[in-house]
């Protein structure tokens, strides 16, 4: 009788433990920040950002820039980021300029449970 009670107790404990629900959060709010250098203050960006998940090859695109950054909700993981467009900035001497640019990174980890942030350097095209 004691053995049966012990076995039932163990089985009940295993059953209750197995029913535990894991609530994994697979999404992250990714922030991609453009970096023009220390002598540049970026005021406005008009560009298209393409983020390619390196595992699934799924591409997410957005043009919703706020200042020099874009935020988008993504599946957590490793991404290739490509941004191309036009930006207006003020340089170190106070001159305002508008230039075409490109920003590319072959590997960016966006794995934070709540938010993830990455900074990408700008390459001017003109």
């Amino acid at each position: 009788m004691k053995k049966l009670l012990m076995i039932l107790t163990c089985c009940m404990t295993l059953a209750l433990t197995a029913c535990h629900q894991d609530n994994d959060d697979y999404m992250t709010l990714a922030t991609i920040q453009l970096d023009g250098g220390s002598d540049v203050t970026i005021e406005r960006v008009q560009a298209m950002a393409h983020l390619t998940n390196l595992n699934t090859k799924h591409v997410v695109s957005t043009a919703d820039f706020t200042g020099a950054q874009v935020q988008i909700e993504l599946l957590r993981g490793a991404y290739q980021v490509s941004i191309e467009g036009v930006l207006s900035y003020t340089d170190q001497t106070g001159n305002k300029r508008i230039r075409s640019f490109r920003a590319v990174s072959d590997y960016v980890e966006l794995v934070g449970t709540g938010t993830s942030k990455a900074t990408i350097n700008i390459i001017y095209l003109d």
Side-chain angles (χ1 to χ4, degrees):
M1 188 67 162
K2 280 188 172 183
K3 285 185 181 182
L4 181 61
L5 185 60
M6 185 69 108
I7 291 172
L8 286 175
T9 304
C10 288
C11 288
M12 195 63 139
T13 303
L14 286 173
L16 291 175
T17 305
C19 292
H20 175 70
Q21 285 186 341
D22 287 332
N23 191 7
D24 292 332
D25 188 14
Y26 296 111
M27 304 301 280
T28 185
L29 181 63
T31 302
I32 308 297
Q33 177 75 37
L34 295 174
D35 184 14
S38 60
D39 57 338
V40 172
T41 303
I42 299 173
E43 296 168 2
R44 183 173 176 192
V45 175
Q46 184 174 349
M48 181 63 81
H50 303 283
L51 292 90
T52 305
N53 187 307
L54 295 176
N55 185 34
T56 65
K57 304 300 183 207
H58 183 259
V59 179
V60 178
S61 300
T62 184
D64 192 20
F65 280 85
T66 303
Q69 72 180 13
V70 63
Q71 285 189 330
I72 187 166
E73 189 171 33
L74 297 170
L75 186 67
R76 293 188 305 173
Y79 284 84
Q80 177 184 20
V81 180
S82 175
I83 304 170
E84 193 166 342
V86 178
L87 61 83
S88 65
Y89 68 91
T90 304
D91 62 13
Q92 196 172 22
T93 61
N95 295 327
K96 290 190 177 203
R97 298 195 63 192
I98 298 174
R99 293 178 76 178
S100 297
F101 78 96
R102 185 170 193 194
V104 177
S105 178
D106 289 332
Y107 184 81
V108 174
E109 288 185 9
L110 301 172
V111 294
T113 55
T115 59
S116 300
K117 188 169 183 176
T119 302
I120 301 177
N121 294 328
I122 293 173
I123 303 166
Y124 295 107
L125 299 177
D126 52 357

